[in-house]
């Protein structure tokens, strides 16, 4: 089974796989929130749209804020027992 876009093409824009996942997830979240606020239906899933933006060279890690906000960090922590 061939995956499109190929990982080699994606890694030419974002060389680190973990950063790629982070960038795509954040962009997909932005796409989803924008579609929800405008009431516009999406033609594809937000993750697919974000991956295609990376493959087309429209998106790379330089323009993304990859820091975790304080509120987000609290949600990601597991409770201590």
């Amino acid at each position: 089974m061939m995956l499109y876009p190929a990982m080699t093409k994606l890694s030419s824009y974002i060389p680190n796989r973990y950063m790629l996942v982070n960038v795509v997830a954040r962009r997909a979240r932005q796409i989803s929130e924008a579609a929800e606020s405008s009431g516009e239906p999406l033609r594809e899933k937000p993750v697919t749209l974000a991956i295609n933006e990376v493959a087309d060279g429209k998106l790379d890690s330089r323009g993304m804020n990859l820091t975790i906000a304080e509120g987000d960090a609290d949600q990601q922590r597991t409770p201590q027992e």
Side-chain angles (χ1 to χ4, degrees):
M1 176 184 210
M2 183 70 86
L3 296 177
Y4 178 81
M7 188 63 190
T8 55
K9 183 170 185 173
L10 296 174
S11 63
S12 68
Y13 295 106
I14 303 175
N16 183 319
R17 289 182 188 194
Y18 302 104
M19 187 178 291
L20 175 66
V21 169
N22 197 345
V23 168
V24 168
R26 287 179 185 261
R27 179 61 183 139
R29 201 170 299 120
Q30 289 173 349
I31 292 169
S32 177
E33 289 171 356
E36 187 176 324
S37 67
S38 70
E40 181 181 328
L42 294 174
R43 54 186 164 76
E44 293 185 50
K45 293 183 179 182
V47 172
T48 302
L49 294 171
I51 288 173
N52 288 334
E53 286 182 8
V54 173
D56 293 340
K58 297 177 184 175
L59 181 65
D60 61 21
S61 60
R62 291 177 293 188
M64 299 289 292
N65 179 5
L66 300 177
T67 58
I68 297 174
E70 190 170 322
D72 294 340
D74 292 338
Q75 293 174 359
Q76 291 180 356
R77 291 188 188 134
T78 56
Q80 300 290 328
E81 293 186 36

